[in-house]
Amino acid sequence: MPPQLPPMLGEVEETTQFVTVPLGQAWVNAPGAVIVTERGLVNSLEQRIGLVNRTAVRGDNMLTLRARVVQGQQEGRFRFDEFLRRIGGLPDPFSTLKSGDLLTGEDELGPYFWAENRVGGNTICVLGLRRLGTGMRQMPGDTNVMDVMLRNCVAGDAEQALEPIMAASIGYISGVATTQDSRGIEMLSPLAGPTPQ
C-alpha cells in the first residue's frame, strides 16, 4: 500500500468548518463581540469574532485572528498577500485595496496598518491589520505569531472603529465580554491569568 500523506494546508482550509465557541473563549477582548467561531488547521488556529454592526453598510463587522507557528526571521514580519490568500481576501468595502493604500500607526504593541472608507455623512468603515508575536502577548495553543484583521463600520470616527484592533483590546486574553459592556476584563499583564468576576 502507498504511504498515506498528511493533507496539505489548502485542502484542510477548504474542508475544515468553523465551530461556535463561548464568548469567554475569545482570544482577545473585542468591544462589541457577539459571536466567536474557530477552527484548527495545519500548525495554525483561526478564530473569527463577529462584532455589532449598527450601520446600514453591507457585510459583517469582524475580527479575524490567525495564530500559527512561524520560524526564524519571518516571525516579526506581516505578509499582506499571504494573509489575504489564507483568509479568502478582503471584505467589503475594501475588496480592491492594495497594500500600498494602507496607513501606518503604532501603539504599545507595535505597528498596525489601516485604511478608512467614509459612507454617507457620519459612517466610517475601517480595515485594520497587524501581527502580534510572543513578546507582545500570550499566543493560543503552541503558536508564536497571530495575524489580525479588523473590518469595522461605525457611526463615529476612525479612532472608535479601530478600537477592537488596538493594544487595549488585543493585548489581553479575553476575560470575557459576556456583559452588555462588551470590553470584557483587562488584565494587569498580557501574560497574567484572568481575574475572577
Side-chain angles (χ1 to χ4, degrees):
M1 289 219 24
Q4 192 75 354
L5 297 174
M8 300 295 286
L9 178 58
E11 296 172 327
V12 174
E13 288 176 333
E14 288 177 11
T15 59
T16 304
Q17 300 296 314
F18 283 92
V19 295
T20 303
V21 298
L23 287 176
Q25 292 181 21
W27 299 341
V28 298
N29 277 315
V34 293
I35 188 169
V36 180
T37 62
E38 69 179 37
R39 63 180 180 168
L41 300 168
V42 178
N43 293 326
S44 63
L45 302 163
E46 188 172 343
Q47 190 171 86
R48 295 188 179 185
I49 302 173
L51 307 174
V52 171
N53 186 356
R54 295 189 173 93
T55 72
V57 179
R58 182 178 68 178
D60 297 319
N61 287 343
M62 181 86 59
L63 256 179
T64 300
L65 308 123
R66 191 175 177 97
R68 60 197 182 103
V69 177
V70 174
Q71 304 295 335
Q73 299 291 328
Q74 296 183 0
E75 182 175 334
R77 186 170 170 209
F78 181 78
R79 295 180 172 267
F80 181 80
D81 293 326
E82 178 188 346
F83 179 62
L84 295 191
R85 188 172 65 251
R86 293 298 178 204
I87 64 166
L90 291 172
D92 286 332
F94 300 99
S95 56
T96 60
L97 188 82
K98 304 291 183 235
S99 61
D101 300 331
L102 294 167
L103 303 170
T104 304
E106 191 163 340
D107 62 13
E108 301 92 316
L109 294 178
Y112 60 91
F113 308 94
W114 64 286
E116 66 179 58
N117 188 320
R118 295 202 172 270
V119 182
N122 67 341
T123 299
I124 187 167
C125 294
V126 297
L127 177 81
L129 298 159
R130 75 184 312 165
R131 170 168 281 190
L132 302 174
T134 52
M136 302 169 188
R137 57 156 284 159
Q138 185 178 357
M139 294 291 126
D142 295 324
T143 61
N144 63 349
V145 299
M146 183 164 63
D147 291 328
V148 184
M149 180 182 74
L150 167 70
R151 184 273 199 182
N152 199 20
C153 298
V154 302
D157 58 29
E159 185 176 332
Q160 291 172 289
L162 284 167
E163 191 175 342
I165 203 170
M166 304 305 286
S169 298
I170 65 170
Y172 304 90
I173 298 171
S174 178
V176 71
T178 54
T179 64
Q180 292 301 327
D181 172 23
S182 57
R183 286 186 160 278
I185 300 170
E186 291 186 4
M187 294 178 286
L188 298 176
S189 159
L191 300 178
T195 56
Q197 291 190 8

